[in-house]
Amino acid sequence: MAEPRPHNHPEPSAVVLAMLRAFLRTAAARARSRAPRPAQDDDVLLDAPDDRLAPALVAAAHGEHGPAARLLAGTRHDAEWDHRDRYATRLAAFARFRSEWLDTWRATAPDDPDALLVAARLAVHRHWDSPARTELLRQVIPSVVAAAETAGPADPVPWRTALDAARGAGAEHAEFERLWEQAVRRSPHHYGSHVAALEYLAAASSDGHGECLDFAETAAQEAPEEALVRALPLHAAFTCLTATGTGTGTGTDARTGGATTAAVRTHRPRLDAAADRAITLSAAHPAADPWAAELRNLLVYVLVRLERHQDAAEQLRLTGPYVTSFPWDRDTDDPLGGFLRVRADVRAHPGEAAAATGTAAPGRPRNGYGERVRPGDH
């Protein structure tokens, strides 16, 4: 444990400390990889927090829950449901390894809806990768739903957590629909709830690409211009492009990892339209914006699979240094390395970039579309 800093030295800003943590996480990701890496990978950050989340993570690292409590309370008060969802997910992921701050928070405020939200998300995260995931999540669903019921009439985020738990537990359609109704009653355009429903639909039918695209396109069309859920067709395109075993009498192309199956060829115009819609959404954000990083990383992945390499290169430029684990962890346990290889291929050999997003490696359980199914992926 480091010695206290002398009082005559100014404390570094929380944002600086958070960026240091991001650098360290990036370095750790590099160290875990045994595969060769492209050169010039020192200009990227893996899962870097934005300037609102960063102070909360820094404080949590020191065992303090106050900044996290204030952050989530602010998102609840201002009805920033997409921010609330993402921040709760990141805080829960942090608590998997450093939970003292959350334990203290729950002990001092056992009925705090924000503490209950993070604790519920943590419970789902802890069980997701277990071989006994189905049974374990069935056991926690009652407590997750109870926490959601105490969250009030406006907050959809705890119900998104319940949807993830139900999806992982293999819930019957009627049970999932009941939870879905609770979520959309509170916020009809909450992105995370729609992602959970899309992934449940994908798992329910391994060849239901059309139904997934229908669901996503309808949700996007009904949403306000600035709503994040307008990116849902991109997520549906991702599930289609990464599907396994979906061809009808055709094999998969080793260079595109399944992007030339009969199902994909059938829906190609809709996949392109989903990418075009996401390009428009990306353009509404500044370049090198941490908030838009996951959208842009997913968009690059889809564009490369569609062999739209010039568009992918432009999104890589807009992404800047911000790499997100999703979607690259769909194919590899080294998401940073996966991103860097695709980026290098797009820059050096645009016509061959599709080969870099090939067949998925073994890892966490997958749904019927071959995707690494994790709670809280956006």
Side-chain angles (χ1 to χ4, degrees), residues 238-245 256-258 298 301 305 324-335 357-364 366-374 377:
F238 169 79
T239 63
C240 186
L241 290 165
T242 56
T244 57
T256 58
L298 180 58
Y301 189 104
R305 282 295 184 98
T324 58
S325 292
F326 177 76
W328 311 106
D329 59 0
R330 185 267 174 192
D331 292 330
T332 175
D333 290 325
D334 176 24
T357 55
T359 304
R364 290 184 289 270
R366 303 171 190 270
N367 66 15
Y369 272 36
E371 176 187 354
R372 291 176 186 269
V373 284
R374 305 185 324 173
D377 277 347

Side-chain angles (χ1 to χ4, degrees), residues 22-321:
F23 277 118
L24 292 174
R25 178 169 181 172
T26 304
R30 292 187 183 120
R32 286 195 300 269
S33 174
R34 297 181 180 178
R37 284 282 182 76
Q40 299 179 342
D41 65 346
D42 57 347
D43 60 338
V44 293
L45 294 170
L46 180 65
D47 294 330
D50 64 19
D51 58 3
R52 296 175 66 186
L53 177 62
L57 291 175
V58 171
H62 289 87
E64 302 169 7
H65 67 273
R70 289 189 291 273
L71 174 65
L72 291 181
T75 61
R76 177 164 43 87
H77 179 270
D78 296 333
E80 296 179 294
W81 305 130
D82 290 328
H83 284 79
R84 179 174 176 79
D85 197 355
R86 185 175 295 186
Y87 294 155
T89 298
R90 292 292 300 275
L91 288 165
F94 184 83
R96 287 190 68 176
F97 306 99
R98 296 287 296 274
S99 64
E100 298 87 351
W101 61 277
L102 181 57
D103 296 337
T104 302
W105 188 5
R106 296 190 67 192
T108 56
D111 297 323
D112 187 315
D114 304 316
L116 290 172
L117 170 62
V118 177
R121 187 65 60 88
L122 175 59
V124 175
H125 272 287
R126 280 177 168 165
H127 297 319
W128 197 264
D129 296 339
S130 169
R133 181 183 71 189
T134 299
E135 182 58 33
L136 291 171
L137 287 178
R138 283 175 181 164
Q139 294 174 11
V140 304
I141 284 177
S143 62
V144 171
V145 171
E149 289 173 340
T150 65
D155 186 358
V157 180
W159 293 100
R160 186 266 167 89
T161 305
L163 287 169
D164 278 335
R167 177 168 63 90
E172 296 292 334
H173 294 350
E175 180 182 0
F176 192 88
E177 288 174 4
R178 180 180 66 82
L179 300 174
W180 165 251
E181 290 171 359
Q182 293 291 335
V184 296
R185 180 186 305 166
R186 287 160 171 79
S187 177
H189 307 301
H190 177 231
Y191 180 65
S193 298
H194 282 77
V195 168
L198 176 66
E199 292 176 344
Y200 181 85
L201 181 61
S205 176
S206 62
D207 59 353
H209 306 291
E211 290 85 349
C212 290
L213 288 164
D214 289 343
F215 173 77
E217 289 165 0
T218 299
Q221 290 165 4
E222 294 178 349
E225 192 71 25
E226 72 282 0
L228 185 59
V229 76
R230 290 177 67 86
L232 194 67
L234 183 70
H235 200 107
F238 169 79
T239 63
C240 186
L241 290 165
T242 56
T244 57
T246 57
T248 55
T250 63
T252 60
D253 189 316
R255 290 174 51 80
T256 58
T260 56
T261 61
V264 173
R265 289 199 300 271
T266 298
H267 299 295
R268 177 61 192 247
R270 299 174 76 178
L271 303 180
D272 281 318
D276 291 339
R277 186 193 295 270
I279 288 172
T280 300
L281 290 171
S282 173
H285 295 276
D289 181 359
W291 175 255
E294 188 166 290
L295 167 66
R296 286 170 172 158
N297 275 250
L298 180 58
L299 180 52
V300 168
Y301 189 104
V302 169
L303 288 168
V304 168
R305 282 295 184 98
L306 293 175
E307 299 183 317
R308 293 175 53 174
H309 306 121
Q310 290 185 345
D311 289 333
E314 173 60 12
Q315 292 305 313
L316 282 168
R317 183 189 70 80
L318 293 172
T319 299

